[in-house]
């Protein structure tokens, strides 16, 4: 990866200031003008090295009290199809394929966020119906010890 792109990633992986022109100021700190920065970001998106630039919502503070990790038992032949179905649910923030083990046959994992456990369970049921997958287990989060975004390049 080009050195300037590493610096761009580094500058965007922390908090972006809440101000009128945050990208202009970030660009200036990198020795670029705002248009150059935006062109580089578009290049990175097109290359597939950057998926998105987004805000992180403190979900509990705005009413999303329940979140469940759901472990689904999906036949290998249907993993891609079911993964896409699960990823289509806006309430799912993560959808991952993981290995199975003799005592743990669950291979697809989703993280579901909602305002209540009842609502979470409705979403899980809807996902089950939409995918045809009936074998699953879910676990609710009870306490958050750490939640940060990964930092790929040190500042």
């Amino acid at each position: 990866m080009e050195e300037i792109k590493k610096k761009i990633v580094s500058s965007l992986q922390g908090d972006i200031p809440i101000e009128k022109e945050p990208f202009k100021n970030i660009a200036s700190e990198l020795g670029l003008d705002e248009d150059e920065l935006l062109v580089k970001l578009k290049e990175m998106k097109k290359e597939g090295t950057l998926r998105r630039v987004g805000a992180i919502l403190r979900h509990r503070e705005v009413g999303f009290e329940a979140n469940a990790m759901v472990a689904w038992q999906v036949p290998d032949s249907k993993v891609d199809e079911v993964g896409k179905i699960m990823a289509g649910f806006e309430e799912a923030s993560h959808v991952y394929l993981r290995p199975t083990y003799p005592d743990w046959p669950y291979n697809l994992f989703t993280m579901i966020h909602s305002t209540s456990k009842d609502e979470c369970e409705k979403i899980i049921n809807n996902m089950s119906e939409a995918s045809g997958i009936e074998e699953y287990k879910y676990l609710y989060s009870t306490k958050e010890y750490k939640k940060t975004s990964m930092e790929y390049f040190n500042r």
Side-chain angles (χ1 to χ4, degrees), residues 1-11 26-27 29-32 36-37 40-41 43-44 153:
M1 180 181 272
E2 293 174 46
E3 195 59 36
I4 188 63
K5 289 181 180 178
K6 288 180 181 179
K7 289 179 180 178
I8 290 169
V9 169
S10 181
S11 68
I26 290 168
E29 290 173 12
L30 293 169
L32 303 171
E36 289 174 306
L37 173 62
K40 291 287 186 192
L41 289 172
E43 284 175 13
M44 293 166 72
F153 305 106

Side-chain angles (χ1 to χ4, degrees), residues 23 27 32-43:
F23 290 106
L32 303 171
D33 65 36
E34 185 177 25
D35 288 338
E36 289 174 306
L37 173 62
L38 296 175
V39 165
K40 291 287 186 192
L41 289 172
K42 287 177 185 172
E43 284 175 13

Side-chain angles (χ1 to χ4, degrees), residues 2-149:
E2 293 174 46
E3 195 59 36
I4 188 63
K5 289 181 180 178
K6 288 180 181 179
K7 289 179 180 178
I8 290 169
V9 169
S10 181
S11 68
L12 294 176
Q13 66 192 5
D15 292 339
I16 295 175
I18 299 174
E19 55 192 27
K20 186 175 180 179
E21 299 178 297
F23 290 106
K24 186 174 186 175
N25 292 330
I26 290 168
S28 176
E29 290 173 12
L30 293 169
L32 303 171
D33 65 36
E34 185 177 25
D35 288 338
E36 289 174 306
L37 173 62
L38 296 175
V39 165
K40 291 287 186 192
L41 289 172
K42 287 177 185 172
E43 284 175 13
M44 293 166 72
K45 173 92 169 145
K46 187 175 179 181
E47 296 165 353
T49 56
L50 177 72
R51 187 177 57 190
R52 64 183 170 83
V53 175
I56 297 172
L57 181 68
R58 298 195 187 279
H59 63 279
R60 291 194 185 274
E61 285 82 353
V62 295
F64 288 84
E65 296 292 329
N67 61 63
M69 180 180 67
V70 188
W72 305 87
Q73 186 177 340
V74 181
D76 290 340
S77 62
K78 293 187 171 190
V79 163
D80 287 337
E81 173 192 342
V82 172
K84 289 176 185 173
I85 291 168
M86 301 298 195
F89 279 80
E90 66 183 25
E91 300 91 348
S93 63
H94 297 73
V95 180
Y96 285 103
L97 178 63
R98 298 185 186 231
T100 59
Y101 298 94
D103 60 343
W104 186 256
Y106 305 96
N107 56 348
L108 194 69
F109 291 76
T110 57
M111 195 69 189
I112 309 301
H113 304 273
S114 190
T115 54
S116 68
K117 286 184 177 182
D118 285 344
E119 188 62 29
C120 239
E121 289 167 23
K122 286 179 189 173
I123 295 162
I124 294 166
N125 287 332
N126 290 342
M127 293 175 90
S128 175
E129 288 178 19
S131 66
I133 303 302
E134 297 178 353
E135 295 296 323
Y136 59 89
K137 294 190 180 294
Y138 54 89
L139 303 153
Y140 287 104
S141 299
T142 56
K143 184 174 182 176
E144 186 177 292
Y145 290 98
K146 179 182 180 182
K147 183 176 181 178
T148 60
S149 296

